[in-house]
Amino acid sequence: MRIIFAASEGNPYIKSGGLADVVGALPKELVKKGHECIVILPKYQDMKLADTIEYVTNFDIWVGWRKCYCGVFKAEYDGVTYYFVDNEQYFRRPGLYGYDDDNERFAYYDFAVLELISHLDIKPDILSLHDWQAAMIATLYKERYAYYEYYQGIKITFTIHNIAYQGKCDPALLSDHFGLDNYLYYNGNCRNDGCLNFMKAAIYYSDAVTTVSPTYAQEILTDEFGEGLQNILGMRRHDLYGILNGIDYDTNNPATDPNIVENFDIDTVEEKKLKNKTALQEECGLPVDPDIPLIGIVTRLTWQKGLDLILNRLEELMKRDVQLVILGSGDAKYEEPLKGIAAYHNQKISLNLKYDFKLSCRIYAGCDMFLMPSLFEPCGLSQMMSMRYGTIPIVRETGGLKDSVEPYNEYENSGTGFSFKNYNAHEMMDIIDYALNVYSDKEQWNGLVKRAMETVLDWDKSADAYLKVFNSVLD
Ligand code: ADP
């Protein structure tokens, strides 16, 4: 089957978070399974590999009342065809998101995806939409494009990577940006809580809705996690599927990763991890000591990631014999207090307030433990990357963290990490203390490391699960 993926970011061209990892890896896996995959991305100024893409064509499109230029570029990567839609007014700026006209920028993108299909004659069987930026494609398709003969029969799936970002805006944008009649707001199809809501509309209009872990699929049906969309999701619950993301085994591979000091695999992890660890300590300006437990954190610094718990117990943690390497950037609310504590404990904490892919690889490879106490976590990739690199995750049991980390059981000698249930700083501290205790028993710890590394976290099974959903909507 031919599947077109519409998403606002994707590896290896542009990434701000886990969405790009998924869009980079899932199509590649589906191609391996014999399907044709096309990914359509905006052509951003910050795109990597921009010199490897080639111009294809251009045409004009309408975004509400605006006539806009739409250039199309193309590349082939890992068997996947990538198209990039080019409009400098909307995408020739630094970064990806965070502009006042983001809704208009992605309204443009949504039209561009649909128009590109007929201009290049690449009608798909499945149009797979991802997150709020691509969400309105579902509405545009069902309310307008599906009436044209050429477009008939395309099935739409919508994947929620994070329900916290929905694309909420002024109802007037429905006609102004999308050229759609306001009755689609008043009849509730695109409305939630007094706003035009892109994600709500996609949940309503898509043939199936998927999200990125089985636990998160259950959680978003509740008032606690649904972010106001629990009712519409409840109505679509028979078409809602939770499919755990995998990680890209080619790029996240300690045996071949060019960014780490010593490559290793499951047979050499004990010896070689130590070399990565001491090199990381040196790089981060921490005292070099192979025996001291080294805890890593790689994250966006936002409330979602459990930073409140970490800040609450950081002074307490500093009383233990540990070192901490933090890599992240985000809210000043977290950056500022972290700066203060890290400066005070500069022999124990290395704080790196930036986005640095290479350093992230060295943290996954060099640390003993990886802390990820998220308030909510649709799937989470960092815990999987750390497991693949033999770094033991300490997580809160939510969303994909619960689905991917099996809690350590000292009686059965099983498990791949440590987890705690409630969003409570003391519970987190207790489990960190427990992990530190287990760390001191080398035999137990090495068993944990091996089991974590053996855990299968690739895309094979997950891609099959997506295919099952695609086939069910085609039927
Ligand atoms: P989310 O998508 O919510 O940010 P995920 O765990 O799904 O969280 O994915 C985060 C991805 O971004 C991981 O690949 C992680 O390594 C990477 N990442 C996050 N922050 C940084 C950073 N400051 N530097 C480098 N990589 C980062």
Side-chain angles (χ1 to χ4, degrees):
M1 80 180 79
R2 178 184 284 161
I3 308 145
I4 292 188
F5 291 83
S8 57
E9 52 184 279
N11 279 343
Y13 296 99
I14 189 84
K15 168 171 169 172
S16 82
L19 170 61
D21 293 306
V22 175
V23 174
L26 174 59
K28 188 166 104 177
E29 192 66 31
L30 291 170
V31 166
K32 275 192 215 157
K33 291 177 187 289
H35 301 280
E36 181 189 350
C37 290
I38 296 170
V39 177
I40 304 179
L41 299 169
K43 184 173 177 291
Y44 298 99
Q45 174 181 303
D46 293 351
M47 237 176 58
K48 285 184 245 158
L49 306 174
D51 50 342
T52 62
I53 68 179
E54 67 187 49
Y55 170 79
V56 180
T57 183
N58 77 77
F59 43 83
D60 288 333
I61 63 173
W62 289 92
V63 179
W65 49 266
R66 303 160 191 79
K67 190 175 183 187
C68 301
Y69 170 85
C70 180
V72 180
F73 287 74
K74 181 181 179 184
E76 296 281 335
Y77 195 90
D78 281 339
V80 179
T81 303
Y82 287 82
Y83 287 108
F84 305 90
V85 293
D86 179 32
N87 180 300
E88 298 200 343
Q89 179 197 339
Y90 290 128
F91 296 111
R92 191 175 169 185
R93 325 170 176 190
L96 283 82
Y97 321 118
Y99 291 98
D100 288 346
D101 61 346
D102 275 0
N103 293 321
E104 188 179 322
R105 296 168 74 217
F106 289 101
Y108 163 84
Y109 168 76
D110 295 346
F111 276 108
V113 168
L114 286 162
E115 291 289 334
L116 194 147
I117 288 172
S118 58
H119 275 89
L120 300 187
D121 193 13
I122 50 167
K123 183 178 168 186
D125 301 295
I126 297 284
L127 192 45
S128 166
L129 314 178
H130 296 260
D131 270 356
W132 71 266
Q133 297 91 342
M136 283 303 280
I137 293 173
T139 310
L140 288 172
Y141 177 75
K142 289 279 168 79
E143 293 291 351
R144 184 191 290 181
Y145 285 80
Y147 291 100
Y148 298 116
E149 202 183 332
Y150 177 82
Y151 285 90
Q152 280 167 11
I154 299 173
K155 296 292 175 188
I156 307 257
T157 65
F158 178 63
T159 302
I160 300 170
H161 294 260
N162 192 338
I163 206 166
Y165 306 98
Q166 299 177 2
K168 297 178 192 174
C169 54
D170 184 342
L173 301 195
L174 194 57
S175 59
D176 186 89
H177 287 12
F178 297 97
L180 293 168
D181 198 297
N182 277 342
Y183 89 88
L184 299 177
Y185 173 78
Y186 291 109
N187 71 6
N189 293 3
C190 302
R191 184 185 71 209
N192 205 53
D193 211 9
C195 297
L196 168 62
N197 188 310
F198 297 173
M199 198 176 258
K200 152 83 189 270
I203 295 167
Y204 177 80
Y205 281 108
S206 298
D207 297 301
V209 179
T210 71
T211 188
V212 288
S213 70
T215 296
Y216 195 59
Q218 293 303 312
E219 287 175 343
I220 56 178
L221 292 170
T222 66
D223 293 354
E224 190 185 346
F225 291 91
E227 298 279 342
L229 295 181
Q230 59 274 24
N231 291 340
I232 178 74
L233 283 165
M235 288 162 68
R236 300 293 322 263
R237 67 185 174 281
H238 298 299
D239 302 310
L240 173 66
Y241 304 87
I243 303 172
L244 192 68
N245 287 338
I247 52 172
D248 188 328
Y249 266 34
D250 298 333
T251 47
N252 301 289
N253 185 353
T256 54
D257 189 337
N259 302 304
I260 66 177
V261 174
E262 285 269 343
N263 289 116
F264 60 90
D265 57 23
I266 197 157
D267 299 320
T268 54
V269 56
E270 263 173 60
E271 174 205 343
K272 300 260 171 91
K273 197 175 216 323
L274 270 189
K275 293 198 177 147
N276 283 294
K277 177 175 175 177
T278 49
L280 180 65
Q281 288 169 324
E282 207 172 316
E283 177 181 356
C284 293
L286 295 169
V288 175
D289 177 351
D291 295 323
I292 191 167
L294 180 58
I295 304 177
I297 296 174
V298 179
T299 186
R300 291 183 291 122
L301 296 174
T302 66
W303 56 290
Q304 176 197 335
K305 299 292 178 178
L307 270 303
D308 293 293
L309 300 192
I310 293 170
L311 281 173
N312 187 287
R313 292 290 92 188
L314 203 48
E315 279 296 347
E316 181 66 24
L317 183 61
M318 288 302 100
K319 294 181 188 158
R320 314 293 191 270
D321 194 20
V322 292
Q323 292 176 344
L324 198 58
V325 182
I326 303 172
L327 170 62
S329 59
D331 299 351
K333 179 183 164 193
Y334 299 114
E335 288 196 357
E336 292 307 317
L338 280 173
K339 275 188 211 165
I341 302 175
Y344 188 73
H345 295 283
N346 60 11
Q347 292 301 295
K348 291 186 124 182
I349 301 180
S350 162
L351 180 64
N352 306 275
L353 295 175
K354 58 182 174 178
Y355 188 93
D356 186 337
F357 171 70
K358 291 181 178 175
L359 178 57
S360 79
C361 298
R362 290 194 286 277
I363 293 175
Y364 293 125
C367 287
D368 299 299
M369 300 164 203
F370 188 85
L371 182 59
M372 198 167 171
S374 303
L375 173 62
F376 63 94
E377 194 60 70
C379 177
L381 298 172
S382 301
Q383 82 283 8
M384 300 195 202
M385 292 170 183
S386 57
M387 282 158 79
R388 178 115 164 97
Y389 283 74
T391 299
I392 301 304
I394 303 174
V395 302
R396 190 170 95 81
E397 290 162 16
T398 182
L401 297 176
K402 187 172 175 192
D403 294 331
S404 57
V405 178
E406 185 194 341
Y408 173 61
N409 182 324
E410 64 187 45
Y411 304 104
E412 292 173 3
N413 217 356
S414 63
T416 56
F418 296 88
S419 63
F420 63 102
K421 191 164 180 359
N422 297 302
Y423 194 67
N424 177 309
H426 296 277
E427 260 188 54
M428 179 191 74
M429 195 63 227
D430 285 348
I431 202 76
I432 294 175
D433 278 334
Y434 180 46
L436 293 174
N437 198 17
V438 178
Y439 179 79
S440 60
D441 180 337
K442 281 288 158 258
E443 205 186 314
Q444 290 291 318
W445 191 262
N446 290 337
L448 248 172
V449 168
K450 295 227 152 125
R451 287 193 298 276
M453 288 184 81
E454 272 165 358
T455 310
V456 178
L457 300 164
D458 66 5
W459 270 100
D460 182 43
K461 242 171 67 187
S462 308
D464 285 341
Y466 273 96
L467 281 175
K468 211 166 148 192
V469 174
F470 295 160
N471 280 317
S472 75
V473 296
L474 287 172
D475 285 347

